[in-house]
Amino acid sequence: MRRSLRVAAAGVIAVIALAVSMLTATAASAAPCTTYYVSSASGVDSNDGCSSATAWRTLANLNTTTFAAGNQILFQKGGSWTGELQPAGSGDSGNPIVISTYGTGATPILAGGGAAATVYLHDQHDWTVQNLEITNTSTTAANRAGILVQNDLTTTLHGIHLSNNLIDNVDGSWAQGDPQPVTTSAISFDLTDSNTTAGWDDVLISGNTLTDDDAGGIYLGSPNGVNHNISSTNVVIQNNTISNAGGNSIVCVFCASPLIQYNVSTDSGYRDSGASMWGGWTTSAVWQYNEVARNWRALVDGQAFDVDNNTRDTVLQYNYSHDNPFGFMEFCCSSTFGTLGNSVIRYNVSQNDGASYAVFGTLGGLETGATAQVYNNTVYMGAGDDGAVTIGTPPPGSSIAFSNNIIYKLGTGGYTSTRTTWSHNLMYGNHPASEPTDAAKVTSDPLFVKPGGGGDGLASASAYAVTTGSPAVGAGALISGNGGLDYFGNAVSSTAAPNIGAYNGAAVSTPAATLGAYWRLDEGTGTATADSTGDGNNGTLQAGASWTTGQLGTGAVALTGASNSFVDIPTPAVNTSGSYTVSAWVKPNTLTGNQTYASIDGSSISPFYLQLTAGKFAFTVRSADSTTASYTQVLGPAPTAGTWYELTGVYDSSAHTVKLYVNGVLQGTSAFSSAWTATGHTEIGRGKWNGAAVDFANASIDDVHMVSYAATDRQAFAFGTGATAYYAFDEGTARRFTDSTGSTPAGRLEGNASWAGSGHVGTNALTLDGTSGTFAEMPVAAVDTSKSFAVGAWVKLNSVTGGNQTFASMSGAAVSPFYLQLAAGKFRFTLKSGDSTGASGTDANALAAATAGAWYHVLGVYDSTAGTISLYVNGTLQSSAAYTTPWKSAGPTVIGASEWNRVPVDFTNGSIDDVHFYNRVPSASEITTLATP
């Protein structure tokens, strides 16, 4: 009925609304008490409700009572009620009507049970709703809310405070073409579209926890969302935690100077459309100290933040955005329907955003004449985050100034820079041809505390403070009206030049290195090489070392065998008395003498030598820090000079064994139980003997790992075969999963994804139930789909009937570039010819139908040289097909689903284990190994 009223003429609506309001007030009884008690356990509706001993039982009396200023409605803890709560009456400014709790026990539950809203306030003011759990479940999704506050009047309603509630499992809905979801979110403030003057004043939405709600979290606006006065004032939305919202997390429309701060939104946007946090038709909004992580999109947008249409003079500051495939922020939407005034985007931290689009997106969303200042932000884009830094072009008459930003970019994406200016930015890592001109540009390493090391929580962005010697310190341009503070609360002077980036404090001491390291050796210039794990084990090329072409990535270190030709790392990268693994790609120039590719210094000798000795590869360990100590050695094959090999040495402190793998193949195992701790430097390209540097390598060396665990056969295989990502899914706890190769950042389980408790390979596996939004996602691309690649997974399906089930894919702008899946009961590998639903697809199909409950290894291969795709099941070729139209998708990587028409689809119902990605075509023997559990 509420929806039907809104389609009538404005005058009729006002009359009807007033009549209904008067009728309701007449029908409802006046409140004879000050405080009302409701107990689902001991209450009786014939009681007066005025004490805990005479409490009411159901919602019926509440919905027929008109409450007055200062009244309280208290629900007994431990109780639960079903239906819609719609009490009448209003409070006064400073003397609201309060809905809260009494007693001890669990939070009381108000369950809407499919009602239009669980709590509904219609044309009322000065209410506080706090400390409740509110649900609204149904067998079918529909237009419904958790708390719905409706203003159908022509005036401003005052004093709605919603605090410390848990609002979960609201089964709302939204589809493309529907009105704005102002009546179908967890918290909904709906202004009528029958006039332009309705508004809110003194709105406080604070400390609420919103989980599993559709169509979204918090929405203030109107169904049309346009052509309304900016009439909502004194709006504060703060300290709310939102997870798995179907679409938007927080939206403020028609708001004047709202403050939105200290909110956290994670793992949202998988079912409905839009950015996580945004404002439209709003003036002077301040969005600060918010965190958005792993936001998706169905259909459009999907950024963490959006400065939307007819929004003027927004300030977006001190926010932390990470692992959002569609970017940190955008301006929306066009030169005639876009952002107004001067937007300020400053002192924010963005980590691994934008792989599927750009960190700063839709620059064309400024209206003609609008400007934006984007300054002192810190952006980190790890390897595989190949999205753009900026995309779109501001219209003539508008401009964006990028100043004092750090862009730490290991991915391959570029920039658009028309009608933008760039000044005093630090751009480090990959430098594409489209990198903007900046006369004061800095290109040196900013020396972060731990690049890529941010996690969940605003405080974890401390990884992006800068350390002693950083070129960012004091190198920025002075900007008028800079806000006075940086992301971390440090002062920003109005007269002295600031640092570049979001950190403006004094450089901090370089933190002590921690165990574990991965040297990609891709720098290509200078003498520094970074530990890409962020654990601080950074190295320096000595005078005789230089750069060359790599086996993996773009570079490698070239060593000559001279005594000054090695890479020195001044820390021990692993504890050699415990389990550890050391691996490296090597290309020997000569095969004579001892040549050590990786080691750590003891006082007298090295505890291990990953090396060439007597013309063969070897992993040699010593029982004590003495030249007289016994040794244990596992030998490998005799290599050929000028050929790349991958060597992995493993010490297992539990099994008391050492192993050597060459190209992922185990060469041998020997007993060893006399490990000891070396505390000296880590060395790439030499060892130590009798207190002196020895065994200098005459070789190229690439991609060196040292980790504090004993690699499994499968992990050693991934290292040895150059897998670009390997997800063992053996974690078994929490919601994160890691890439054993260290090449890609950690991923996240979404929806109902969980751990199986046992695995087909290793100790565990991923289990999925086939429901919408249930899959695992890693925020960057695992492979370059424009070139040869392969993807393989072990799968066990609960059902082989019904729709498609995708085991592994990536996401483009509209569709996935490939689908490793079950279709019509058979396994299939599909590649699309372009990033649109209209693009043709090429299939390689299995010969036989799959059986539920059985484990299969499914492998898809694209061979760019042959121009073919192929599907293997359990190591056996099923079919091949011609394919010559590859395109590059920048990510993210998705396990257990795929993308179609910008929406996640084809969810797997079953278990997935041991997923490998390669940027090449695997050999026949490798395919056999992958298919052998």
Side-chain angles (χ1 to χ4, degrees), residues 552 585 646 648 664 712-727 739-741 916-918 920 930:
L552 301 180
W585 282 88
E646 200 281 336
T648 298
T712 64
D713 288 347
R714 215 63 167 186
Q715 288 168 329
F717 179 80
F719 284 135
T721 54
T724 56
Y726 168 43
Y727 307 117
D739 170 11
S740 292
T741 73
H916 287 78
F917 289 88
Y918 289 91
R920 61 176 179 82
L930 288 169

PDB file of all heavy atoms in Angstrom, residues 552 585 646 648 664 712-727 739-741 916-918 920 930:
ATOM      1  N   LEU A 552      61.025 -15.683 -14.937  1.00  0.00           N
ATOM      2  CA  LEU A 552      59.694 -15.279 -14.499  1.00  0.00           C
ATOM      3  C   LEU A 552      59.701 -13.772 -14.311  1.00  0.00           C
ATOM      4  O   LEU A 552      60.665 -13.207 -13.795  1.00  0.00           O
ATOM      5  CB  LEU A 552      59.324 -15.968 -13.178  1.00  0.00           C
ATOM      6  CG  LEU A 552      59.308 -17.498 -13.183  1.00  0.00           C
ATOM      7  CD1 LEU A 552      58.919 -18.007 -11.803  1.00  0.00           C
ATOM      8  CD2 LEU A 552      58.347 -18.046 -14.226  1.00  0.00           C
ATOM      9  N   TRP A 585      65.291 -19.960  -9.356  1.00  0.00           N
ATOM     10  CA  TRP A 585      65.502 -20.263 -10.767  1.00  0.00           C
ATOM     11  C   TRP A 585      66.940 -19.876 -11.109  1.00  0.00           C
ATOM     12  O   TRP A 585      67.397 -18.781 -10.771  1.00  0.00           O
ATOM     13  CB  TRP A 585      64.529 -19.476 -11.638  1.00  0.00           C
ATOM     14  CG  TRP A 585      63.153 -20.063 -11.646  1.00  0.00           C
ATOM     15  CD1 TRP A 585      62.141 -19.795 -10.781  1.00  0.00           C
ATOM     16  CD2 TRP A 585      62.647 -21.028 -12.575  1.00  0.00           C
ATOM     17  NE1 TRP A 585      61.033 -20.524 -11.100  1.00  0.00           N
ATOM     18  CE2 TRP A 585      61.310 -21.295 -12.200  1.00  0.00           C
ATOM     19  CE3 TRP A 585      63.185 -21.683 -13.672  1.00  0.00           C
ATOM     20  CZ2 TRP A 585      60.505 -22.188 -12.891  1.00  0.00           C
ATOM     21  CZ3 TRP A 585      62.379 -22.574 -14.370  1.00  0.00           C
ATOM     22  CH2 TRP A 585      61.064 -22.836 -13.986  1.00  0.00           C
ATOM     23  N   GLU A 646      64.799 -24.814 -12.102  1.00  0.00           N
ATOM     24  CA  GLU A 646      64.308 -24.362 -10.805  1.00  0.00           C
ATOM     25  C   GLU A 646      64.757 -25.376  -9.751  1.00  0.00           C
ATOM     26  O   GLU A 646      64.531 -26.580  -9.884  1.00  0.00           O
ATOM     27  CB  GLU A 646      62.790 -24.247 -10.793  1.00  0.00           C
ATOM     28  CG  GLU A 646      62.231 -23.351  -9.690  1.00  0.00           C
ATOM     29  CD  GLU A 646      62.174 -24.024  -8.322  1.00  0.00           C
ATOM     30  OE1 GLU A 646      62.122 -25.277  -8.280  1.00  0.00           O
ATOM     31  OE2 GLU A 646      62.175 -23.321  -7.299  1.00  0.00           O
ATOM     32  N   THR A 648      64.722 -26.402  -5.609  1.00  0.00           N
ATOM     33  CA  THR A 648      64.068 -26.216  -4.318  1.00  0.00           C
ATOM     34  C   THR A 648      64.690 -27.163  -3.313  1.00  0.00           C
ATOM     35  O   THR A 648      64.682 -28.386  -3.512  1.00  0.00           O
ATOM     36  CB  THR A 648      62.553 -26.468  -4.401  1.00  0.00           C
ATOM     37  OG1 THR A 648      61.964 -25.532  -5.304  1.00  0.00           O
ATOM     38  CG2 THR A 648      61.900 -26.327  -3.035  1.00  0.00           C
ATOM     39  N   GLY A 664      60.597 -29.042 -10.003  1.00  0.00           N
ATOM     40  CA  GLY A 664      59.433 -29.587  -9.334  1.00  0.00           C
ATOM     41  C   GLY A 664      59.447 -31.079  -9.128  1.00  0.00           C
ATOM     42  O   GLY A 664      58.507 -31.625  -8.546  1.00  0.00           O
ATOM     43  N   THR A 712      55.559 -28.868   0.771  1.00  0.00           N
ATOM     44  CA  THR A 712      55.052 -30.172   0.363  1.00  0.00           C
ATOM     45  C   THR A 712      55.509 -30.478  -1.062  1.00  0.00           C
ATOM     46  O   THR A 712      56.011 -29.599  -1.774  1.00  0.00           O
ATOM     47  CB  THR A 712      53.521 -30.182   0.411  1.00  0.00           C
ATOM     48  OG1 THR A 712      53.028 -29.234  -0.557  1.00  0.00           O
ATOM     49  CG2 THR A 712      53.015 -29.800   1.796  1.00  0.00           C
ATOM     50  N   ASP A 713      55.307 -31.721  -1.479  1.00  0.00           N
ATOM     51  CA  ASP A 713      55.631 -32.065  -2.864  1.00  0.00           C
ATOM     52  C   ASP A 713      54.874 -31.168  -3.834  1.00  0.00           C
ATOM     53  O   ASP A 713      55.414 -30.747  -4.866  1.00  0.00           O
ATOM     54  CB  ASP A 713      55.280 -33.530  -3.142  1.00  0.00           C
ATOM     55  CG  ASP A 713      56.215 -34.506  -2.464  1.00  0.00           C
ATOM     56  OD1 ASP A 713      57.278 -34.076  -1.974  1.00  0.00           O
ATOM     57  OD2 ASP A 713      55.877 -35.701  -2.404  1.00  0.00           O
ATOM     58  N   ARG A 714      53.615 -30.857  -3.485  1.00  0.00           N
ATOM     59  CA  ARG A 714      52.795 -30.052  -4.378  1.00  0.00           C
ATOM     60  C   ARG A 714      53.292 -28.610  -4.427  1.00  0.00           C
ATOM     61  O   ARG A 714      53.299 -27.973  -5.491  1.00  0.00           O
ATOM     62  CB  ARG A 714      51.351 -30.091  -3.895  1.00  0.00           C
ATOM     63  CG  ARG A 714      50.320 -30.071  -5.002  1.00  0.00           C
ATOM     64  CD  ARG A 714      50.407 -31.263  -5.891  1.00  0.00           C
ATOM     65  NE  ARG A 714      49.244 -31.381  -6.756  1.00  0.00           N
ATOM     66  CZ  ARG A 714      49.035 -32.398  -7.551  1.00  0.00           C
ATOM     67  NH1 ARG A 714      49.917 -33.376  -7.613  1.00  0.00           N
ATOM     68  NH2 ARG A 714      47.955 -32.456  -8.306  1.00  0.00           N
ATOM     69  N   GLN A 715      53.691 -28.075  -3.293  1.00  0.00           N
ATOM     70  CA  GLN A 715      54.231 -26.717  -3.278  1.00  0.00           C
ATOM     71  C   GLN A 715      55.549 -26.642  -4.031  1.00  0.00           C
ATOM     72  O   GLN A 715      55.799 -25.697  -4.785  1.00  0.00           O
ATOM     73  CB  GLN A 715      54.401 -26.249  -1.828  1.00  0.00           C
ATOM     74  CG  GLN A 715      53.079 -25.954  -1.139  1.00  0.00           C
ATOM     75  CD  GLN A 715      53.221 -25.785   0.346  1.00  0.00           C
ATOM     76  OE1 GLN A 715      54.083 -26.391   0.987  1.00  0.00           O
ATOM     77  NE2 GLN A 715      52.364 -24.952   0.933  1.00  0.00           N
ATOM     78  N   ALA A 716      56.391 -27.643  -3.837  1.00  0.00           N
ATOM     79  CA  ALA A 716      57.654 -27.683  -4.577  1.00  0.00           C
ATOM     80  C   ALA A 716      57.404 -27.810  -6.071  1.00  0.00           C
ATOM     81  O   ALA A 716      58.129 -27.226  -6.893  1.00  0.00           O
ATOM     82  CB  ALA A 716      58.517 -28.842  -4.085  1.00  0.00           C
ATOM     83  N   PHE A 717      56.373 -28.536  -6.437  1.00  0.00           N
ATOM     84  CA  PHE A 717      56.009 -28.652  -7.851  1.00  0.00           C
ATOM     85  C   PHE A 717      55.578 -27.293  -8.407  1.00  0.00           C
ATOM     86  O   PHE A 717      55.943 -26.915  -9.522  1.00  0.00           O
ATOM     87  CB  PHE A 717      54.887 -29.677  -8.007  1.00  0.00           C
ATOM     88  CG  PHE A 717      54.415 -29.871  -9.424  1.00  0.00           C
ATOM     89  CD1 PHE A 717      55.131 -30.665 -10.295  1.00  0.00           C
ATOM     90  CD2 PHE A 717      53.266 -29.248  -9.883  1.00  0.00           C
ATOM     91  CE1 PHE A 717      54.701 -30.843 -11.612  1.00  0.00           C
ATOM     92  CE2 PHE A 717      52.828 -29.416 -11.184  1.00  0.00           C
ATOM     93  CZ  PHE A 717      53.549 -30.213 -12.050  1.00  0.00           C
ATOM     94  N   ALA A 718      54.808 -26.539  -7.611  1.00  0.00           N
ATOM     95  CA  ALA A 718      54.369 -25.211  -8.056  1.00  0.00           C
ATOM     96  C   ALA A 718      55.570 -24.280  -8.227  1.00  0.00           C
ATOM     97  O   ALA A 718      55.670 -23.555  -9.221  1.00  0.00           O
ATOM     98  CB  ALA A 718      53.374 -24.624  -7.065  1.00  0.00           C
ATOM     99  N   PHE A 719      56.487 -24.277  -7.259  1.00  0.00           N
ATOM    100  CA  PHE A 719      57.716 -23.492  -7.411  1.00  0.00           C
ATOM    101  C   PHE A 719      58.469 -23.925  -8.664  1.00  0.00           C
ATOM    102  O   PHE A 719      58.906 -23.115  -9.477  1.00  0.00           O
ATOM    103  CB  PHE A 719      58.637 -23.679  -6.203  1.00  0.00           C
ATOM    104  CG  PHE A 719      58.217 -22.947  -4.966  1.00  0.00           C
ATOM    105  CD1 PHE A 719      58.236 -23.578  -3.730  1.00  0.00           C
ATOM    106  CD2 PHE A 719      57.823 -21.622  -5.006  1.00  0.00           C
ATOM    107  CE1 PHE A 719      57.877 -22.917  -2.586  1.00  0.00           C
ATOM    108  CE2 PHE A 719      57.458 -20.937  -3.849  1.00  0.00           C
ATOM    109  CZ  PHE A 719      57.482 -21.599  -2.635  1.00  0.00           C
ATOM    110  N   GLY A 720      58.643 -25.227  -8.798  1.00  0.00           N
ATOM    111  CA  GLY A 720      59.527 -25.768  -9.823  1.00  0.00           C
ATOM    112  C   GLY A 720      59.002 -25.672 -11.226  1.00  0.00           C
ATOM    113  O   GLY A 720      59.779 -25.754 -12.187  1.00  0.00           O
ATOM    114  N   THR A 721      57.710 -25.520 -11.371  1.00  0.00           N
ATOM    115  CA  THR A 721      57.129 -25.421 -12.705  1.00  0.00           C
ATOM    116  C   THR A 721      56.692 -24.004 -13.048  1.00  0.00           C
ATOM    117  O   THR A 721      56.065 -23.774 -14.073  1.00  0.00           O
ATOM    118  CB  THR A 721      55.928 -26.382 -12.834  1.00  0.00           C
ATOM    119  OG1 THR A 721      54.994 -26.122 -11.781  1.00  0.00           O
ATOM    120  CG2 THR A 721      56.392 -27.840 -12.750  1.00  0.00           C
ATOM    121  N   GLY A 722      57.025 -23.062 -12.157  1.00  0.00           N
ATOM    122  CA  GLY A 722      56.740 -21.659 -12.448  1.00  0.00           C
ATOM    123  C   GLY A 722      55.274 -21.312 -12.428  1.00  0.00           C
ATOM    124  O   GLY A 722      54.835 -20.433 -13.177  1.00  0.00           O
ATOM    125  N   ALA A 723      54.503 -21.969 -11.548  1.00  0.00           N
ATOM    126  CA  ALA A 723      53.091 -21.608 -11.425  1.00  0.00           C
ATOM    127  C   ALA A 723      52.973 -20.144 -11.026  1.00  0.00           C
ATOM    128  O   ALA A 723      53.698 -19.657 -10.159  1.00  0.00           O
ATOM    129  CB  ALA A 723      52.405 -22.490 -10.397  1.00  0.00           C
ATOM    130  N   THR A 724      52.070 -19.423 -11.664  1.00  0.00           N
ATOM    131  CA  THR A 724      51.862 -18.025 -11.293  1.00  0.00           C
ATOM    132  C   THR A 724      51.001 -17.897 -10.048  1.00  0.00           C
ATOM    133  O   THR A 724      50.997 -16.853  -9.394  1.00  0.00           O
ATOM    134  CB  THR A 724      51.205 -17.254 -12.435  1.00  0.00           C
ATOM    135  OG1 THR A 724      49.974 -17.900 -12.793  1.00  0.00           O
ATOM    136  CG2 THR A 724      52.119 -17.211 -13.645  1.00  0.00           C
ATOM    137  N   ALA A 725      50.273 -18.943  -9.713  1.00  0.00           N
ATOM    138  CA  ALA A 725      49.516 -18.983  -8.464  1.00  0.00           C
ATOM    139  C   ALA A 725      49.190 -20.441  -8.171  1.00  0.00           C
ATOM    140  O   ALA A 725      48.933 -21.232  -9.088  1.00  0.00           O
ATOM    141  CB  ALA A 725      48.232 -18.170  -8.554  1.00  0.00           C
ATOM    142  N   TYR A 726      49.213 -20.792  -6.885  1.00  0.00           N
ATOM    143  CA  TYR A 726      48.847 -22.140  -6.458  1.00  0.00           C
ATOM    144  C   TYR A 726      48.084 -22.015  -5.148  1.00  0.00           C
ATOM    145  O   TYR A 726      48.630 -21.588  -4.130  1.00  0.00           O
ATOM    146  CB  TYR A 726      50.081 -23.019  -6.278  1.00  0.00           C
ATOM    147  CG  TYR A 726      49.802 -24.330  -5.564  1.00  0.00           C
ATOM    148  CD1 TYR A 726      48.674 -25.081  -5.878  1.00  0.00           C
ATOM    149  CD2 TYR A 726      50.650 -24.806  -4.576  1.00  0.00           C
ATOM    150  CE1 TYR A 726      48.405 -26.279  -5.234  1.00  0.00           C
ATOM    151  CE2 TYR A 726      50.403 -26.011  -3.929  1.00  0.00           C
ATOM    152  CZ  TYR A 726      49.272 -26.735  -4.244  1.00  0.00           C
ATOM    153  OH  TYR A 726      48.995 -27.918  -3.595  1.00  0.00           O
ATOM    154  N   TYR A 727      46.804 -22.385  -5.205  1.00  0.00           N
ATOM    155  CA  TYR A 727      45.950 -22.338  -4.025  1.00  0.00           C
ATOM    156  C   TYR A 727      45.724 -23.764  -3.542  1.00  0.00           C
ATOM    157  O   TYR A 727      44.949 -24.527  -4.125  1.00  0.00           O
ATOM    158  CB  TYR A 727      44.630 -21.654  -4.344  1.00  0.00           C
ATOM    159  CG  TYR A 727      44.820 -20.300  -4.989  1.00  0.00           C
ATOM    160  CD1 TYR A 727      44.376 -20.038  -6.281  1.00  0.00           C
ATOM    161  CD2 TYR A 727      45.484 -19.274  -4.313  1.00  0.00           C
ATOM    162  CE1 TYR A 727      44.569 -18.790  -6.877  1.00  0.00           C
ATOM    163  CE2 TYR A 727      45.688 -18.038  -4.901  1.00  0.00           C
ATOM    164  CZ  TYR A 727      45.229 -17.806  -6.178  1.00  0.00           C
ATOM    165  OH  TYR A 727      45.429 -16.582  -6.767  1.00  0.00           O
ATOM    166  N   ASP A 739      48.279 -17.854  -1.650  1.00  0.00           N
ATOM    167  CA  ASP A 739      48.963 -18.404  -2.820  1.00  0.00           C
ATOM    168  C   ASP A 739      50.317 -18.919  -2.349  1.00  0.00           C
ATOM    169  O   ASP A 739      51.157 -18.142  -1.894  1.00  0.00           O
ATOM    170  CB  ASP A 739      49.114 -17.299  -3.859  1.00  0.00           C
ATOM    171  CG  ASP A 739      50.011 -17.671  -5.026  1.00  0.00           C
ATOM    172  OD1 ASP A 739      50.368 -18.859  -5.159  1.00  0.00           O
ATOM    173  OD2 ASP A 739      50.348 -16.766  -5.803  1.00  0.00           O
ATOM    174  N   SER A 740      50.548 -20.218  -2.453  1.00  0.00           N
ATOM    175  CA  SER A 740      51.788 -20.799  -1.950  1.00  0.00           C
ATOM    176  C   SER A 740      53.014 -20.266  -2.667  1.00  0.00           C
ATOM    177  O   SER A 740      54.118 -20.300  -2.117  1.00  0.00           O
ATOM    178  CB  SER A 740      51.755 -22.328  -2.077  1.00  0.00           C
ATOM    179  OG  SER A 740      50.802 -22.884  -1.209  1.00  0.00           O
ATOM    180  N   THR A 741      52.861 -19.764  -3.891  1.00  0.00           N
ATOM    181  CA  THR A 741      54.019 -19.241  -4.607  1.00  0.00           C
ATOM    182  C   THR A 741      54.389 -17.833  -4.155  1.00  0.00           C
ATOM    183  O   THR A 741      55.461 -17.334  -4.491  1.00  0.00           O
ATOM    184  CB  THR A 741      53.767 -19.198  -6.125  1.00  0.00           C
ATOM    185  OG1 THR A 741      52.856 -18.132  -6.439  1.00  0.00           O
ATOM    186  CG2 THR A 741      53.214 -20.515  -6.638  1.00  0.00           C
ATOM    187  N   HIS A 916      45.835 -24.650  -9.674  1.00  0.00           N
ATOM    188  CA  HIS A 916      47.074 -24.131 -10.260  1.00  0.00           C
ATOM    189  C   HIS A 916      46.770 -23.217 -11.436  1.00  0.00           C
ATOM    190  O   HIS A 916      45.866 -23.489 -12.224  1.00  0.00           O
ATOM    191  CB  HIS A 916      47.961 -25.273 -10.791  1.00  0.00           C
ATOM    192  CG  HIS A 916      48.629 -26.093  -9.742  1.00  0.00           C
ATOM    193  ND1 HIS A 916      47.968 -27.069  -9.024  1.00  0.00           N
ATOM    194  CD2 HIS A 916      49.922 -26.110  -9.300  1.00  0.00           C
ATOM    195  CE1 HIS A 916      48.818 -27.650  -8.187  1.00  0.00           C
ATOM    196  NE2 HIS A 916      50.007 -27.076  -8.329  1.00  0.00           N
ATOM    197  N   PHE A 917      47.575 -22.151 -11.573  1.00  0.00           N
ATOM    198  CA  PHE A 917      47.549 -21.281 -12.742  1.00  0.00           C
ATOM    199  C   PHE A 917      48.957 -21.182 -13.319  1.00  0.00           C
ATOM    200  O   PHE A 917      49.934 -21.082 -12.573  1.00  0.00           O
ATOM    201  CB  PHE A 917      47.072 -19.872 -12.373  1.00  0.00           C
ATOM    202  CG  PHE A 917      45.615 -19.767 -12.037  1.00  0.00           C
ATOM    203  CD1 PHE A 917      45.167 -19.980 -10.746  1.00  0.00           C
ATOM    204  CD2 PHE A 917      44.686 -19.430 -13.010  1.00  0.00           C
ATOM    205  CE1 PHE A 917      43.832 -19.863 -10.421  1.00  0.00           C
ATOM    206  CE2 PHE A 917      43.346 -19.306 -12.699  1.00  0.00           C
ATOM    207  CZ  PHE A 917      42.908 -19.528 -11.408  1.00  0.00           C
ATOM    208  N   TYR A 918      49.044 -21.176 -14.653  1.00  0.00           N
ATOM    209  CA  TYR A 918      50.323 -21.028 -15.349  1.00  0.00           C
ATOM    210  C   TYR A 918      50.182 -20.016 -16.475  1.00  0.00           C
ATOM    211  O   TYR A 918      49.160 -19.987 -17.163  1.00  0.00           O
ATOM    212  CB  TYR A 918      50.783 -22.355 -15.965  1.00  0.00           C
ATOM    213  CG  TYR A 918      51.225 -23.382 -14.954  1.00  0.00           C
ATOM    214  CD1 TYR A 918      50.313 -24.291 -14.428  1.00  0.00           C
ATOM    215  CD2 TYR A 918      52.543 -23.443 -14.525  1.00  0.00           C
ATOM    216  CE1 TYR A 918      50.703 -25.233 -13.499  1.00  0.00           C
ATOM    217  CE2 TYR A 918      52.947 -24.382 -13.592  1.00  0.00           C
ATOM    218  CZ  TYR A 918      52.029 -25.276 -13.080  1.00  0.00           C
ATOM    219  OH  TYR A 918      52.428 -26.215 -12.158  1.00  0.00           O
ATOM    220  N   ARG A 920      51.706 -20.272 -19.232  1.00  0.00           N
ATOM    221  CA  ARG A 920      52.309 -21.029 -20.328  1.00  0.00           C
ATOM    222  C   ARG A 920      51.523 -22.324 -20.490  1.00  0.00           C
ATOM    223  O   ARG A 920      50.592 -22.618 -19.729  1.00  0.00           O
ATOM    224  CB  ARG A 920      53.775 -21.349 -20.040  1.00  0.00           C
ATOM    225  CG  ARG A 920      54.000 -22.193 -18.802  1.00  0.00           C
ATOM    226  CD  ARG A 920      55.475 -22.552 -18.619  1.00  0.00           C
ATOM    227  NE  ARG A 920      55.700 -23.339 -17.428  1.00  0.00           N
ATOM    228  CZ  ARG A 920      55.528 -24.657 -17.336  1.00  0.00           C
ATOM    229  NH1 ARG A 920      55.092 -25.342 -18.394  1.00  0.00           N
ATOM    230  NH2 ARG A 920      55.756 -25.301 -16.214  1.00  0.00           N
ATOM    231  N   LEU A 930      49.896 -33.019 -12.282  1.00  0.00           N
ATOM    232  CA  LEU A 930      48.768 -32.257 -11.765  1.00  0.00           C
ATOM    233  C   LEU A 930      47.556 -33.155 -11.533  1.00  0.00           C
ATOM    234  O   LEU A 930      46.786 -32.941 -10.586  1.00  0.00           O
ATOM    235  CB  LEU A 930      48.404 -31.131 -12.727  1.00  0.00           C
ATOM    236  CG  LEU A 930      49.370 -29.948 -12.787  1.00  0.00           C
ATOM    237  CD1 LEU A 930      49.028 -29.051 -13.974  1.00  0.00           C
ATOM    238  CD2 LEU A 930      49.334 -29.143 -11.496  1.00  0.00           C
TER     239      LEU A 930
END
